[in-house]
Amino acid sequence: SVNLEKKLLSLRTVEGEATEVFPIKKDVSVSTATGTKLKIKELKPGSTVIVYYEFHKDGRRTVNEIVVLTLGPREEKKPAPPPS
């Protein structure tokens, strides 16, 4: 999931089933595997992504690029309940 207010990207890893949290900036490069550019806010829970990042000696990580392999399911609008 993406939290732009706190500038965080939270991911579930494929191996180990752990959660990784990355600091992100609004202007990080996000694209599909075919090269189509996306905006970071277009990422949805359930998306499959590869995160390229730089690891610094002091333990910080800087995300350089996010490649989206598959987008998460689209949110379907639920029909409004019938008036009573």
Side-chain angles (χ1 to χ4, degrees), residues 5 11 14 20 26 30 34-35 37 43 60-61 67 73 79:
E5 289 179 16
L11 302 171
V14 175
E20 292 281 338
K26 253 179 148 174
V30 181
T34 59
K37 297 282 184 189
L43 291 178
R60 291 180 304 119
R61 297 184 289 186
V67 177

Side-chain angles (χ1 to χ4, degrees), residues 1-2 9 11 30-34 36-50 66-75:
S1 66
V2 178
L9 173 66
L11 302 171
V30 181
S31 61
T32 64
T34 59
T36 305
K37 297 282 184 189
L38 298 173
K39 294 183 180 180
I40 190 107
K41 63 183 178 182
E42 292 180 71
L43 291 178
K44 306 235 182 297
S47 297
T48 304
V49 299
I50 298 174
I66 300 171
V67 177
V68 180
L69 303 177
T70 61
L71 280 175
R74 294 180 184 230
E75 292 180 18

Side-chain angles (χ1 to χ4, degrees), residues 4-17:
L4 292 176
E5 289 179 16
K6 294 183 180 180
K7 300 179 182 175
L8 293 175
L9 173 66
S10 176
L11 302 171
R12 204 175 76 231
T13 61
V14 175
E15 294 181 15
E17 296 184 21

